[in-house]
Amino acid sequence: MVIGVVGKSCSGKDEAVKFLVNAGFFEINVDKLGHEALVKNKERLVEAFGDVILTNNSVDRKILGPIVFSDPEKLKILNSITHPWMCEETERLTKANPNSVINAALLESMGLVRLCDEILYVFAPLEQRLMRALKRDDITEEKFLARNRNQRDIGLSLLESGKRVITIINDQDKEYLYRQLSLYCDRLKTRGYING
């Protein structure tokens, strides 16, 4: 069973993934794979963006980030270099770990939905996500809203994917989230995907 977990910033996606890992699933964190992709594709990235992106001979995300996020064309170039490696690695890990959870905000745009048996979509209202971000991320309201605008497509194509989509509403406390996830795991047990 491969479960894709998706949700906008501060929706509770990582908390849901942690819960599934505790239930016996192997986490494939696509964001972390993105960091590895910078190492694996260093030469191509330097070719594309110049050695200005290097610090101590390693790709510096703090330098690369502002370059690509301020220019949609440069972001496309970055994604064309890193995303294929990240997708291949995700696929390799799902094959090596039959009970996996793919933690990916870009699950849809990277084409990773095809690897999933079902999708867990974690939803929280904008106001609550903003409050969580201000508390947790040391971010301004403007920066959070800009990040949110960049994530407006998350969840839009899921219903057309042909996959089973389970929506978790995370608009209360953690206990409420855990109760929903516990019910979901109970259903997975009934279907034979989790032991015990």
Side-chain angles (χ1 to χ4, degrees):
M1 165 65 81
V2 178
I3 301 168
V5 179
V6 69
K8 294 182 180 179
S9 183
C10 295
S11 62
K13 178 172 63 74
D14 291 341
E15 207 61 46
V17 168
K18 261 190 252 172
F19 194 96
L20 291 171
V21 167
N22 287 335
F25 283 82
F26 175 81
E27 180 184 3
I28 301 165
N29 187 315
V30 176
D31 194 36
K32 285 184 182 162
L33 290 181
H35 300 180
E36 283 181 52
L38 298 179
V39 175
K40 300 281 183 187
N41 295 281
K42 183 177 95 171
E43 287 76 19
R44 289 182 64 203
L45 292 166
V46 168
E47 213 173 279
F49 301 108
D51 58 11
V52 68
I53 65 169
L54 298 179
T55 299
N56 299 325
N57 206 31
S58 296
V59 176
D60 189 325
R61 289 169 48 235
K62 286 183 181 159
I63 296 170
L64 181 60
I67 292 169
V68 298
F69 291 119
S70 62
D71 183 335
E73 285 309 307
K74 287 182 179 168
L75 182 59
K76 270 187 202 164
I77 292 166
L78 172 68
N79 291 346
S80 73
I81 294 169
T82 57
H83 283 188
W85 182 87
M86 292 162 70
C87 290
E88 282 172 27
E89 189 63 7
T90 301
E91 188 160 9
R92 184 188 72 75
L93 289 167
T94 59
K95 286 177 178 165
N97 302 279
N99 265 11
S100 299
V101 56
I102 301 174
N103 182 352
L106 300 177
L107 192 77
E108 295 155 275
S109 62
M110 286 181 69
L112 296 172
V113 171
R114 67 185 172 80
L115 301 176
C116 303
D117 296 304
E118 60 190 43
I119 312 294
L120 199 63
Y121 177 59
V122 185
F123 173 82
L126 176 64
E127 301 76 28
Q128 278 183 305
R129 293 189 296 107
L130 172 61
M131 290 303 126
R132 289 171 188 163
L134 294 175
K135 242 190 238 177
R136 184 193 81 180
D137 293 348
D138 189 29
I139 191 174
T140 65
E141 184 171 337
E142 292 73 25
K143 278 189 178 166
F144 175 81
L145 293 173
R147 182 196 294 172
N148 187 67
R149 279 192 297 278
N150 289 334
Q151 295 184 333
R152 63 183 168 269
D153 295 341
I154 290 176
L156 288 183
S157 69
L158 292 179
L159 293 176
E160 296 164 3
S161 69
K163 305 288 180 174
R164 179 195 297 245
V165 179
I166 294 89
T167 301
I168 299 284
I169 308 289
N170 184 21
D171 63 351
Q172 295 179 36
D173 59 11
K174 278 187 184 176
E175 290 311 309
Y176 180 69
L177 174 66
Y178 295 157
R179 279 200 304 277
Q180 291 178 80
L181 291 166
S182 188
L183 286 170
Y184 176 61
C185 286
D186 286 346
R187 287 200 300 271
L188 291 176
K189 277 179 199 161
T190 305
R191 291 160 60 202
Y193 294 115
I194 298 179
N195 297 325

